[in-house]
Amino acid sequence: MSTVAITGIIEAHAVDVWRLLTDLPGRAARLTAAGPIEVLTPGSFGPGTSWREERVQPGGGTLTEEFLVVEALAPQRLVLCSSGTGADYRITWSLRPVLRRRRGCTAITVTHEAVPTAPYGRVVALLLGGLAARAVEAALWRDLADLAVAAGATGSVEAA
């Protein structure tokens, strides 16, 4: 299993960040790496909600991913899973209110775990693990910066 985790601080309240994270129809407009979104389940956002989206990859290609909400504890924790080729992914968003410069901010930790599901997934992880981890980390920081802009913050994310 490989894990990438980042923590950043956005100048926005946790409830506002949560609203942006869980607004699937607006997701493609907010996240620069996200393309068209297709919501696969009817009803309100919560455990069991699933959607398909295109993600722009470093280097220019696109990848279609399907996400499933495993846990949604507003506005503190969101856990998603996604099955890939040779690996399953679990993405956990943890939101914690903090005060910075006397303003309400949110510390956000995003943890991306990849669990190989096939023998070739383990081989690929060994061969490309470091490169893949750097690409995942860059994508997570880009998503956080996009959320900061959408929340009305300066667009920068402070590393915590």
Side-chain angles (χ1 to χ4, degrees):
M1 177 169 76
S2 66
T3 301
V4 175
I6 64 166
T7 300
I9 296 176
I10 294 178
E11 286 190 16
H13 293 282
V15 294
D16 296 325
V17 174
W18 180 265
R19 180 182 44 78
L20 293 169
L21 278 174
T22 59
D23 173 26
L24 296 180
R27 186 174 172 88
R30 276 190 308 283
L31 300 179
T32 55
I37 307 282
E38 178 188 0
V39 179
L40 303 173
T41 53
S44 60
F45 188 93
T49 299
S50 64
W51 71 95
R52 186 177 299 128
E53 71 181 57
E54 286 185 17
R55 297 286 291 185
V56 176
Q57 300 299 298
T62 60
L63 173 69
T64 300
E65 292 184 290
E66 197 168 299
F67 294 96
L68 172 68
V69 176
V70 176
E71 182 182 341
L73 179 59
Q76 301 160 344
R77 183 175 160 89
L78 176 62
V79 181
L80 310 173
C81 68
S82 177
S83 295
T85 304
D88 285 340
Y89 303 99
R90 184 176 179 95
I91 303 105
T92 303
W93 294 77
S94 300
L95 287 66
R96 183 175 48 88
V98 294
L99 281 177
R100 280 284 165 103
R101 295 181 285 277
R102 298 184 184 154
R103 293 187 189 135
C105 298
T106 303
I108 303 171
T109 299
V110 186
T111 305
H112 184 281
E113 300 169 284
V115 179
T117 57
Y120 64 86
R122 296 182 212 296
V123 172
V124 169
L126 286 172
L127 296 175
L128 302 175
L131 179 62
R134 285 190 294 279
V136 167
E137 182 177 0
L140 295 176
W141 280 115
R142 182 180 55 227
D143 285 353
L144 276 185
D146 290 346
L147 281 173
V149 169
T154 61
S156 63
V157 176
E158 282 184 49

